[in-house]
Each structure stands twice: as C-alpha cells, then as structure tokens.
Amino acid sequence: MAASASDSYLLFCVLLIPLTSGVHVYDCEPGTEPTLCIVHNLAYTPGQDPLPQLNRSDTVNRIQLNYERYYYRRKALVSVYDAVLHKTVLGSPPNTVVINCDLHTLVMPRDLEVGDFLNNVIKVVETDPAQTYNIRYLDLSHNILRDLKNLSVLVNLQTLKLERNEIVEIKPETFAKMNNLSILTLGVNHIVMIDLKVLPKSLASLSLKRNSLSEINFASVSFTNMREMYLESNRLTELDVAAMLRACPVLQLLLIEHNPMPRDEAQRIIMELDGHNVTYYINIGKANDSDSSCDSNEYQNDRVCFSTSVLGSRTFLKAIVLIIVSIVLCGVFGLSARWIWYQMRY
C-alpha cells in the first residue's frame, strides 16, 4: 500500500513537470541596492502563457529592464508595456526604466510615478480619459512619437521629455491641463511653428533646440517661473529680447547659438542679454577670442557661434558625407559585380 502511494506521488510530480518547466524566472542583478531591481533581457508577449516570473524583494520600488539592443535587434523581447507586464510580472513598481528594447506601445499604468522609456520605437501611448494617472516624470526621448493627444490626461506630470521624436506640431489640448509641468523638452523634432500660449504657464525650463523654427513670438504670454530656454540650431534670424524678458521675467539662461542671425542682430541680442544678466553660453574652458569651436560658415560673437546660412554647415557637411558614401558604395558594388561575373565566366 505504501509503495502504491509512493508511485502515485511520483506520477503526480511527473505530470506536473510540463506545467512548470515553461515558466522563465528572472532574478535581480546581484549587487544592486535593495530598492533597485535590474533585470536583463526579460521576454514578454501579451497573452503569453505561462507568464514570466520575477524574483524581487518587497523593498524594491524601482525596476530597470536592460536589453542588449544590437544583439537582440532581430527580435523585440518586449514590444508592449501593458498592465499585465507592469502589475502581474513586475509587481506594480512606482518607478520603471525600460530602454533599448524596441518597445513600440506603452499602455500607461495608473500607479506609475516615474517612467523612463528612452531609446525605443514607441509610436503609441495608450491612456484612458476616464482615469487618473500618478505619473510625475516621463521620459519618451528617442522614440517615434508624432501624435501627443493621449498625453493630455497626464495632468500630474512635472517633467516631460520628448526629444528626438517625430513631432511636427503642438496642439492646444495637449498641455491644457498640465498645470504642474515644470520641465518640457521638445528638442530635435520637426517643429516649424509653435504658439507659446498653448504651453503650461508653470514651465521653468523649455527646450526647443534643433527644430525648424523661423520665428518665436513672446507677445501675450507669461512664464513667471521660466529660468532656462534652449533655442539653439533653429532658423531664427531675429529675436525680440524685450518681449521675451517681459514674458519670462526670471530668465537666467538662454542658449541661442547656431541660428542664422545677421551680425548686427546677434550683437544687439547679446548686448541686451548682458544688460539683464542672462547667460547665453556654456563655458567649456575655451579661449574667449577663439573661433575654433565654430564651423567654417559660422562666425563667433562673444563665445557664441552664429550661422551665416539658414541651412547651416552641419546640414551641408552631412549632405557631402552622404554623397561620398553613396559613391563609394556604388563603386564597391560595381567592382564586386564585375568580379563575380568574371569568376562565373571561368
């Protein structure tokens, strides 16, 4: 009888093996602090069964998913960050970092407070207008976002980073309810025109660098907390400093280099900024009277480089490099084809 019971238990364990062997259990990287859990190459697909599991302590409040992007470039281990991954797999961490993993869809968790989704391919951020969200810090830089309408419900945001996306325009409803937003970065996008009146009045730092702005109008706007503004590498040919200072009375830093300013306009702007103690350059230890930091078609005015062309030397040099690379590749292809044809003949 004892032998029969033992055989039954053994059979039960054998039958249980297929049910548990498919579960992939991930551990936090050894040596990290108690509140941080670093997980390498976690794989998750919506609807998968069984779900991956994570060994983490109760003290963890920040989870970082690390991916070797170039090694795994042929398959995305996590393409969607959704409620199941956030809550069931990761245990609802208030702070999440997911970088370099080809993530294309972010379903915003309601309880997430800090989210860093840098350097993915996020095209869609899904939110529910009927819900409230705790998110205070959100980094979506280096993605492919174009439409920001779903971000409008994230009214508790204090920092929002959107550099290097595909943003063309800022619609009035996007920031209408973000009364707590202090830092906004919109640099390196495709913005040609922006109405400052649609931005939150609470902003203390605004980056619009490396867009295609040809003008910026400070009339009828007020940013009483604005301390920093980044306007480098646009297409600005003039700037109304007096209007800007009326709109931003506590401004401390304005970066405006690499814009195609005429020399007299650049000189006027710098004199006005000097007169109001507004910094317009970042000191990197180079000689004040040296033009070595400027490109060939730029001139320097008091440590600041201004373009003499709307296109700028960077665009011209990039075009030249691309042409040269194309010629070289065509030449290599032609020689390779000729060699293969020669070998086939013999």
Side-chain angles (χ1 to χ4, degrees):
M1 186 71 179
S4 177
S6 176
D7 291 343
S8 298
Y9 178 77
L10 180 62
L11 178 60
F12 175 78
C13 292
V14 171
L15 293 174
L16 187 63
I17 288 175
L19 298 177
T20 59
S21 60
V23 177
H24 197 138
V25 181
Y26 296 86
D27 295 311
C28 297
E29 182 180 84
T32 56
E33 59 265 30
T35 60
L36 172 63
C37 175
I38 299 179
V39 187
H40 292 283
N41 303 316
L42 182 145
Y44 165 78
T45 302
Q48 79 177 70
D49 186 24
L51 289 170
Q53 295 181 4
L54 175 63
N55 278 336
R56 49 164 287 189
S57 68
D58 294 336
T59 60
V60 166
N61 58 25
R62 181 170 185 256
I63 293 181
Q64 179 173 331
L65 304 184
N66 279 357
Y67 294 90
E68 303 291 339
R69 183 167 194 172
Y70 298 103
Y71 183 78
Y72 289 101
R73 65 186 180 275
R74 294 185 180 274
K75 62 175 182 178
L77 297 184
V78 175
S79 60
V80 177
Y81 190 97
D82 60 9
V84 175
L85 175 58
H86 177 75
K87 183 177 181 179
T88 307
V89 178
L90 302 183
S92 298
N95 186 325
T96 300
V97 179
V98 185
I99 59 175
N100 295 337
C101 88
D102 287 335
L103 188 71
H104 64 67
T105 300
L106 168 61
V107 183
M108 183 61 64
R110 292 179 56 193
D111 57 352
L112 186 66
E113 297 177 11
V114 176
D116 187 346
F117 301 95
L118 174 72
N119 206 15
N120 288 286
V121 288
I122 297 174
K123 187 175 183 179
V124 176
V125 177
E126 295 184 8
T127 60
D128 184 350
Q131 301 293 339
T132 58
Y133 295 87
N134 296 340
I135 191 79
R136 294 178 287 102
Y137 177 101
L138 181 59
D139 191 344
L140 293 169
S141 302
H142 293 254
N143 282 282
I144 55 174
L145 282 169
R146 186 181 181 92
D147 192 343
L148 305 178
K149 65 180 180 181
N150 289 347
L151 302 183
S152 62
V153 300
L154 307 180
V155 297
N156 290 312
L157 275 173
Q158 298 173 9
T159 298
L160 177 58
K161 297 186 176 183
L162 295 168
E163 287 197 350
R164 288 191 180 275
N165 277 277
E166 301 295 329
I167 302 168
V168 176
E169 64 174 332
I170 305 298
K171 297 180 179 179
E173 62 271 19
T174 302
F175 299 107
K177 298 179 181 179
M178 293 189 189
N179 299 322
N180 299 309
L181 194 64
S182 177
I183 299 174
L184 175 62
T185 63
L186 292 165
V188 201
N189 279 283
H190 309 293
I191 303 172
V192 176
M193 182 179 300
I194 186 167
D195 184 356
L196 295 179
K197 291 192 289 292
V198 306
L199 301 182
K201 306 304 180 286
S202 55
L203 285 178
S205 177
L206 172 65
S207 175
L208 291 166
K209 67 181 182 181
R210 295 186 63 183
N211 278 282
S212 299
L213 294 169
S214 57
E215 63 177 347
I216 184 163
N217 188 356
F218 288 94
S220 303
V221 297
S222 177
F223 298 101
T224 57
N225 299 319
M226 186 75 74
R227 298 188 305 272
E228 302 174 351
M229 190 173 297
Y230 302 85
L231 300 176
E232 316 101 287
S233 301
N234 278 280
R235 298 181 180 179
L236 299 172
T237 57
E238 60 181 0
L239 180 67
D240 189 340
V241 177
M244 180 192 67
L245 293 175
R246 284 194 297 270
C248 311
V250 297
L251 191 67
Q252 300 173 5
L253 175 68
L254 173 69
L255 297 188
I256 197 172
E257 62 182 351
H258 306 305
N259 276 286
M261 297 280 186
R263 290 179 182 267
D264 56 346
E265 177 68 6
Q267 181 64 33
R268 182 190 64 78
I269 291 172
I270 287 178
M271 288 180 63
E272 289 192 49
L273 294 177
D274 265 332
H276 290 85
N277 296 317
V278 177
T279 301
Y280 45 84
Y281 67 91
I282 296 178
N283 191 354
I284 55 176
K286 293 186 178 182
N288 293 348
D289 57 350
S290 172
D291 287 345
S292 60
S293 61
C294 297
D295 290 337
S296 57
N297 75 329
E298 292 182 326
Y299 65 91
Q300 189 177 82
N301 193 322
D302 195 11
R303 291 162 285 192
V304 180
C305 298
F306 292 97
S307 302
T308 57
S309 166
V310 173
L311 291 178
S313 61
R314 289 175 176 79
T315 304
F316 179 75
L317 290 174
K318 187 182 293 185
I320 293 297
V321 169
L322 289 175
I323 292 172
I324 293 173
V325 170
S326 300
I327 292 173
V328 171
L329 289 176
C330 290
V332 170
F333 177 78
L335 291 174
S336 299
R338 184 175 181 180
W339 181 84
I340 293 172
W341 173 254
Y342 180 82
Q343 295 295 323
M344 290 177 63
R345 291 180 60 189
Y346 299 95

